[in-house]
PDB file of all heavy atoms in Angstrom:
ATOM      1  N   GLU A 344      85.277  78.929 117.281  1.00  0.00           N
ATOM      2  CA  GLU A 344      84.665  78.493 118.535  1.00  0.00           C
ATOM      3  C   GLU A 344      84.454  76.987 118.578  1.00  0.00           C
ATOM      4  O   GLU A 344      83.344  76.509 118.756  1.00  0.00           O
ATOM      5  CB  GLU A 344      83.352  79.218 118.771  1.00  0.00           C
ATOM      6  CG  GLU A 344      83.427  80.720 118.653  1.00  0.00           C
ATOM      7  CD  GLU A 344      84.198  81.371 119.782  1.00  0.00           C
ATOM      8  OE1 GLU A 344      84.617  80.672 120.720  1.00  0.00           O
ATOM      9  OE2 GLU A 344      84.383  82.599 119.718  1.00  0.00           O
ATOM     10  N   VAL A 345      85.521  76.202 118.446  1.00  0.00           N
ATOM     11  CA  VAL A 345      85.383  74.747 118.443  1.00  0.00           C
ATOM     12  C   VAL A 345      84.755  74.188 119.685  1.00  0.00           C
ATOM     13  O   VAL A 345      84.110  73.134 119.663  1.00  0.00           O
ATOM     14  CB  VAL A 345      86.719  73.991 118.278  1.00  0.00           C
ATOM     15  CG1 VAL A 345      87.022  73.770 116.863  1.00  0.00           C
ATOM     16  CG2 VAL A 345      87.825  74.637 119.012  1.00  0.00           C
ATOM     17  N   ALA A 346      84.938  74.873 120.845  1.00  0.00           N
ATOM     18  CA  ALA A 346      84.427  74.319 122.093  1.00  0.00           C
ATOM     19  C   ALA A 346      82.898  74.159 122.041  1.00  0.00           C
ATOM     20  O   ALA A 346      82.348  73.283 122.718  1.00  0.00           O
ATOM     21  CB  ALA A 346      84.826  75.215 123.257  1.00  0.00           C
ATOM     22  N   PHE A 347      82.220  74.955 121.234  1.00  0.00           N
ATOM     23  CA  PHE A 347      80.784  74.772 121.085  1.00  0.00           C
ATOM     24  C   PHE A 347      80.465  73.374 120.592  1.00  0.00           C
ATOM     25  O   PHE A 347      79.437  72.795 120.940  1.00  0.00           O
ATOM     26  CB  PHE A 347      80.223  75.795 120.097  1.00  0.00           C
ATOM     27  CG  PHE A 347      79.839  77.079 120.740  1.00  0.00           C
ATOM     28  CD1 PHE A 347      80.811  77.925 121.223  1.00  0.00           C
ATOM     29  CD2 PHE A 347      78.492  77.431 120.883  1.00  0.00           C
ATOM     30  CE1 PHE A 347      80.473  79.089 121.840  1.00  0.00           C
ATOM     31  CE2 PHE A 347      78.160  78.616 121.521  1.00  0.00           C
ATOM     32  CZ  PHE A 347      79.146  79.455 121.997  1.00  0.00           C
ATOM     33  N   LEU A 348      81.358  72.819 119.780  1.00  0.00           N
ATOM     34  CA  LEU A 348      81.121  71.478 119.249  1.00  0.00           C
ATOM     35  C   LEU A 348      81.680  70.413 120.148  1.00  0.00           C
ATOM     36  O   LEU A 348      81.035  69.403 120.416  1.00  0.00           O
ATOM     37  CB  LEU A 348      81.790  71.345 117.884  1.00  0.00           C
ATOM     38  CG  LEU A 348      81.076  71.963 116.687  1.00  0.00           C
ATOM     39  CD1 LEU A 348      81.894  71.650 115.455  1.00  0.00           C
ATOM     40  CD2 LEU A 348      79.694  71.408 116.552  1.00  0.00           C
ATOM     41  N   THR A 349      82.909  70.639 120.664  1.00  0.00           N
ATOM     42  CA  THR A 349      83.569  69.532 121.371  1.00  0.00           C
ATOM     43  C   THR A 349      83.252  69.521 122.854  1.00  0.00           C
ATOM     44  O   THR A 349      83.516  68.530 123.533  1.00  0.00           O
ATOM     45  CB  THR A 349      85.100  69.626 121.214  1.00  0.00           C
ATOM     46  OG1 THR A 349      85.525  70.865 121.720  1.00  0.00           O
ATOM     47  CG2 THR A 349      85.519  69.517 119.757  1.00  0.00           C
ATOM     48  N   ALA A 350      82.737  70.614 123.435  1.00  0.00           N
ATOM     49  CA  ALA A 350      82.504  70.603 124.866  1.00  0.00           C
ATOM     50  C   ALA A 350      81.109  71.070 125.271  1.00  0.00           C
ATOM     51  O   ALA A 350      80.511  70.513 126.198  1.00  0.00           O
ATOM     52  CB  ALA A 350      83.545  71.474 125.551  1.00  0.00           C
ATOM     53  N   TYR A 351      80.581  72.078 124.622  1.00  0.00           N
ATOM     54  CA  TYR A 351      79.346  72.676 125.140  1.00  0.00           C
ATOM     55  C   TYR A 351      78.083  72.196 124.441  1.00  0.00           C
ATOM     56  O   TYR A 351      76.983  72.496 124.869  1.00  0.00           O
ATOM     57  CB  TYR A 351      79.410  74.204 125.031  1.00  0.00           C
ATOM     58  CG  TYR A 351      80.632  74.809 125.669  1.00  0.00           C
ATOM     59  CD1 TYR A 351      81.285  75.897 125.088  1.00  0.00           C
ATOM     60  CD2 TYR A 351      81.147  74.311 126.868  1.00  0.00           C
ATOM     61  CE1 TYR A 351      82.423  76.452 125.673  1.00  0.00           C
ATOM     62  CE2 TYR A 351      82.257  74.847 127.440  1.00  0.00           C
ATOM     63  CZ  TYR A 351      82.902  75.919 126.835  1.00  0.00           C
ATOM     64  OH  TYR A 351      84.022  76.451 127.424  1.00  0.00           O
ATOM     65  N   HIS A 352      78.212  71.489 123.319  1.00  0.00           N
ATOM     66  CA  HIS A 352      77.001  71.088 122.629  1.00  0.00           C
ATOM     67  C   HIS A 352      76.202  70.104 123.483  1.00  0.00           C
ATOM     68  O   HIS A 352      76.791  69.188 124.059  1.00  0.00           O
ATOM     69  CB  HIS A 352      77.355  70.457 121.291  1.00  0.00           C
ATOM     70  CG  HIS A 352      76.190  70.363 120.332  1.00  0.00           C
ATOM     71  ND1 HIS A 352      75.236  69.363 120.452  1.00  0.00           N
ATOM     72  CD2 HIS A 352      75.753  71.181 119.361  1.00  0.00           C
ATOM     73  CE1 HIS A 352      74.302  69.589 119.530  1.00  0.00           C
ATOM     74  NE2 HIS A 352      74.619  70.682 118.866  1.00  0.00           N
ATOM     75  N   PRO A 353      74.880  70.289 123.614  1.00  0.00           N
ATOM     76  CA  PRO A 353      74.098  69.453 124.529  1.00  0.00           C
ATOM     77  C   PRO A 353      74.087  67.964 124.135  1.00  0.00           C
ATOM     78  O   PRO A 353      73.960  67.107 124.989  1.00  0.00           O
ATOM     79  CB  PRO A 353      72.679  70.049 124.484  1.00  0.00           C
ATOM     80  CG  PRO A 353      72.658  70.954 123.279  1.00  0.00           C
ATOM     81  CD  PRO A 353      74.060  71.384 123.027  1.00  0.00           C
ATOM     82  N   ASP A 354      74.187  67.697 122.846  1.00  0.00           N
ATOM     83  CA  ASP A 354      74.102  66.307 122.396  1.00  0.00           C
ATOM     84  C   ASP A 354      75.454  65.617 122.481  1.00  0.00           C
ATOM     85  O   ASP A 354      76.406  66.015 121.805  1.00  0.00           O
ATOM     86  CB  ASP A 354      73.557  66.306 120.969  1.00  0.00           C
ATOM     87  CG  ASP A 354      73.302  64.880 120.479  1.00  0.00           C
ATOM     88  OD1 ASP A 354      73.802  63.943 121.108  1.00  0.00           O
ATOM     89  OD2 ASP A 354      72.624  64.733 119.432  1.00  0.00           O
ATOM     90  N   ARG A 355      75.525  64.595 123.301  1.00  0.00           N
ATOM     91  CA  ARG A 355      76.810  63.931 123.508  1.00  0.00           C
ATOM     92  C   ARG A 355      77.343  63.310 122.229  1.00  0.00           C
ATOM     93  O   ARG A 355      78.538  63.285 121.947  1.00  0.00           O
ATOM     94  CB  ARG A 355      76.638  62.858 124.575  1.00  0.00           C
ATOM     95  CG  ARG A 355      77.888  62.683 125.362  1.00  0.00           C
ATOM     96  CD  ARG A 355      77.640  61.985 126.654  1.00  0.00           C
ATOM     97  NE  ARG A 355      78.511  60.823 126.724  1.00  0.00           N
ATOM     98  CZ  ARG A 355      78.177  59.661 127.190  1.00  0.00           C
ATOM     99  NH1 ARG A 355      76.952  59.460 127.633  1.00  0.00           N
ATOM    100  NH2 ARG A 355      79.031  58.675 127.223  1.00  0.00           N
TER     101      ARG A 355
END
Side-chain angles (χ1 to χ4, degrees):
E344 309 290 356
V345 270
F347 271 70
L348 282 182
T349 59
Y351 307 142
H352 196 279
D354 185 345
R355 212 162 126 220

